Amino acid sequence: MRVIRKVLIAAFVLSLSFQFFMLTSAYGFDSKKVIIFIVDRVNLNDYLSNDLPTIKYLMENGTYGLMTVNSDGAKTPENVYMTLGCGTRAVGSEKAFLNFNASELVYGESAASVFKRNTGLKPQFYNIVNLDIAQIERNNLLRNHIVIPGAMGNLLENTGKKIAVLGNEGNTIEPKRYAPLIFMNEKGIVEFGDVSDSVLKRDVMSLLAYPQITNFFIKNTWS
């Protein structure tokens, strides 16, 4: 079966302290949290024809939607994720997936140092940073309509929301991490989260070349 490139976004507004991707209020209100799961490269038949009790439980107890995102270029992950984060047709860059914890080492130096050299901005150690934000901005300046990379992050921050992105869709060989493209601000920063290799563990039952799965038991610091 040919799998159409789609993104399932299931947003669950919960009063529970459920911990993956989270948005919380920075004000003193007793606000609820929004947890968004992003499942790429699936279509509706994948859910209907497979026994997925956990996914089905989340769908039955939350809100879900199946989306086909038309970017301003090819339907590649970097373009699709950027379009979701910009709220309009957008494009990414060849290295848009270079999202790291600011404290991670990248080619022998901290991601924070690389980010500061590329942008002139000094991130906090708990931030997630995009190391190719300058090229992303240049690429979107060439569009025939207004595109603001980081629009989603800006909007959420301006309304007092705290953002955390947890997860890593890459592997230990090739760190491709796209989810922060949706929630970063215009500076290329997500305030909190963890997209490092520590969120992965080896799947001993897998026959894939890179048998990595999400480690759901990582210590959480975002509640």
Side-chain angles (χ1 to χ4, degrees):
M1 179 183 66
R2 188 173 73 91
V3 179
I4 302 172
R5 203 180 281 267
K6 295 182 178 179
V7 176
L8 176 74
I9 295 186
F12 306 94
V13 183
L14 304 175
S15 58
L16 302 175
S17 182
F18 195 88
Q19 297 139 10
F20 274 97
F21 170 85
M22 297 186 295
L23 302 175
T24 63
S25 176
Y27 303 115
F29 305 132
D30 183 21
S31 61
K32 296 181 179 180
K33 295 178 181 178
V34 176
I35 300 96
I36 300 178
F37 294 87
I38 304 168
V39 184
D40 202 0
R41 300 187 182 186
V42 297
N43 61 31
L44 190 57
N45 190 54
D46 292 326
Y47 294 94
L48 297 177
S49 59
N50 292 281
D51 182 24
L52 303 169
T54 302
I55 294 293
K56 290 178 180 177
Y57 173 83
L58 293 174
M59 294 172 71
E60 290 169 359
N61 291 274
T63 301
Y64 63 91
L66 194 63
M67 300 177 63
T68 299
V69 180
N70 291 319
S71 70
D72 210 43
K75 287 184 180 179
T76 58
E78 60 270 19
N79 292 344
V80 169
Y81 279 77
M82 280 300 303
T83 294
L84 286 168
C86 292
T88 187
R89 299 187 318 279
V91 294
S93 67
E94 185 178 351
K95 297 181 179 180
F97 55 80
L98 292 178
N99 294 285
F100 295 91
N101 296 356
S103 58
E104 278 189 272
L105 289 180
V106 182
Y107 305 120
E109 60 181 320
S110 70
S113 297
V114 178
F115 184 79
K116 184 178 180 181
R117 184 168 63 247
N118 292 349
T119 66
L121 302 172
K122 182 179 180 181
Q124 300 297 319
F125 73 93
Y126 48 78
N127 292 159
I128 295 171
V129 295
N130 182 282
L131 301 186
D132 209 36
I133 183 63
Q135 187 60 53
I136 291 172
E137 291 176 343
R138 287 191 289 269
N139 289 351
N140 282 286
L141 285 174
L142 301 175
R143 305 300 103 190
N144 60 7
H145 60 284
I146 296 175
V147 181
I148 303 175
M152 174 83 79
N154 286 349
L155 177 63
L156 294 171
E157 289 180 358
N158 291 339
T159 54
K161 304 300 180 184
K162 295 292 184 181
I163 310 169
V165 175
L166 302 175
N168 181 342
E169 65 268 49
N171 54 64
T172 56
I173 305 299
E174 191 175 27
K176 291 191 174 183
R177 306 164 180 181
Y178 294 103
L181 296 175
I182 302 177
F183 304 105
M184 68 182 184
N185 60 25
E186 63 185 339
K187 299 175 183 177
I189 294 174
V190 178
E191 187 171 10
F192 300 107
D194 189 353
V195 294
S196 70
D197 290 341
S198 66
V199 301
L200 300 176
K201 68 177 182 179
R202 182 176 178 82
D203 182 5
V204 296
M205 302 298 291
S206 175
L207 299 177
L208 297 175
Y210 303 109
Q212 302 289 334
I213 60 174
T214 300
N215 181 5
F216 293 102
F217 299 100
I218 56 174
K219 182 178 179 181
N220 172 67
T221 57
W222 317 111
S223 57

